[in-house]
Amino acid sequence: MLPKTPIISSQGKILVLLLTSAEDLDCTPGFQQKVFHINQPAQFIEDQAILNLTFSDCKGNNKLHYEVSSPYFKVNDDGSLVALKNITAVGKTLFVHARTPHAEDMAELVIVGGKDIQGSLQDIFKFARTSPVPRQKRSIVVSPILIPENQRQPFPRDVGKVVDSDRPEGSKFRLTGKGVDQEPKGIFRINENTGSVSVTQTLDREMIATYQLFVETTDVNGKTLEGPVPLEVIVIDQNDNRPIFREGPYVGHVMEGSPTGMLDWLTLHQSIME
């Protein structure tokens, strides 16, 4: 529902303005920046901010929770990533996951000059979805992707990322499903090397509200190595319909100098909302 602001004209009539902003319409749930690059320092210092992360679920970030792929780091409430103790090496990549009841997303910190550390992603993201059927532990980690409908250019734009904690060198990511290689084709695609998922056009929730995609890794010959793992894309509703006034025009009258919130305004407001 768009906010409504009463304006009293010089003739004593009440005008109702429906106010919104480009920020409201274009708010995309998730991290404002998804990939960061820093040079490997001589040492990560305890409680010293490494970088600041900005996450929004477009609903106020109520019950926002962060989780880091390394147990030696945490994200404070203000979005600052810090080390829990002095440490010299953490590997080549850190992943930060943020979630609220309304959205979740993943950010990647690439450490330039970092060295490989075996098992650095073994405990990544306890929240990762797993099949109720017993099976071999998956190395592919995906988070649901939330995309507002009616987004504007430019396209394509990155909307999510797939992580494989044990991907063989030279292997590729592959994305399939409705919206990729099934009609409507070409809406989503994945960077076969980095795992970044992008959308290529505006989405309409009234047409399709949810896309069920699948991610897998393949060798150089296209043979499946891991997966497929389900990846859900949820289209978020935007108020793209103009308000409808079934009767009218609506005219309210107030006496000059009347206090704010007088009964006539409330009566008019209620009649418009009915």
Side-chain angles (χ1 to χ4, degrees):
M1 180 67 65
L2 299 179
K4 298 174 174 61
T5 300
I7 301 295
I8 301 178
S9 70
S10 59
Q11 292 78 27
K13 295 181 178 180
I14 295 179
L15 307 178
V16 180
L17 299 183
L18 303 180
L19 302 180
T20 186
S21 66
E23 182 178 357
D24 294 330
L25 295 176
D26 293 338
C27 180
T28 301
F31 284 105
Q32 180 176 321
Q33 182 176 343
K34 296 182 184 296
V35 181
F36 300 83
H37 292 80
I38 67 167
N39 292 321
Q40 168 71 53
Q43 189 176 57
F44 290 98
I45 306 300
E46 180 179 356
D47 290 333
Q48 180 175 310
I50 300 167
L51 53 84
N52 290 317
L53 301 159
T54 302
F55 175 89
S56 175
D57 66 357
C58 303
K59 299 288 186 179
N61 282 355
N62 185 37
K63 297 181 180 179
L64 174 58
H65 174 73
Y66 291 103
E67 191 166 5
V68 187
S69 59
S70 169
Y72 303 118
F73 294 85
K74 71 172 183 177
V75 179
N76 292 323
D77 292 339
D78 61 0
S80 59
L81 175 68
V82 300
L84 295 175
K85 66 176 184 178
N86 294 345
I87 186 170
T88 56
V90 296
K92 291 185 176 182
T93 310
L94 287 176
F95 296 95
V96 179
H97 177 268
R99 58 174 170 168
T100 73
H102 303 288
E104 60 180 297
D105 197 10
M106 189 154 42
E108 177 182 1
L109 172 60
V110 179
I111 303 173
V112 180
K115 298 180 180 180
D116 282 323
I117 297 179
Q118 293 295 327
S120 62
L121 295 181
Q122 292 299 315
D123 297 321
I124 186 172
F125 309 140
K126 300 180 180 67
F127 62 85
R129 295 181 175 181
T130 56
S131 170
V133 179
R135 53 156 291 163
Q136 182 179 1
K137 182 179 179 180
R138 288 171 172 168
S139 60
I140 298 177
V141 178
V142 298
S143 295
I145 296 175
L146 292 84
I147 307 175
E149 64 175 345
N150 305 323
Q151 285 188 320
R152 303 187 182 103
Q153 294 282 356
F155 291 104
R157 64 171 67 190
D158 289 342
V159 292
K161 188 178 180 63
V162 177
V163 176
D164 189 341
S165 61
D166 191 28
R167 184 160 65 100
E169 184 176 354
S171 62
K172 306 290 185 181
F173 286 106
R174 181 162 62 195
L175 189 66
T176 59
K178 185 177 181 179
V180 184
D181 57 347
Q182 301 174 23
E183 296 293 346
K185 296 181 179 180
I187 297 178
F188 305 100
R189 62 191 188 193
I190 191 169
N191 184 308
E192 61 181 15
N193 296 313
T194 66
S196 292
V197 179
S198 58
V199 63
T200 65
Q201 64 186 59
T202 299
L203 303 180
D204 186 345
R205 191 176 189 277
E206 282 66 42
M207 297 293 292
I208 301 177
T210 303
Y211 294 84
Q212 188 69 51
L213 310 180
F214 297 91
V215 181
E216 56 189 336
T217 54
T218 67
D219 62 17
V220 293
N221 298 316
K223 181 181 178 181
T224 299
L225 298 176
E226 176 73 16
V229 175
L231 169 60
E232 187 177 37
V233 178
I234 302 170
V235 184
I236 301 174
D237 185 35
Q238 294 284 351
N239 190 352
D240 53 359
N241 297 314
R242 294 181 179 180
I244 298 175
F245 299 94
R246 304 185 186 282
E247 299 177 6
Y250 296 93
V251 179
H253 299 277
V254 295
M255 296 297 293
E256 184 176 0
S258 297
T260 301
M262 63 177 295
L263 180 60
D264 284 353
W265 157 241
L266 292 176
T267 303
L268 176 64
H269 176 72
Q270 290 169 356
S271 66
I272 291 176
M273 295 297 292
E274 289 177 352

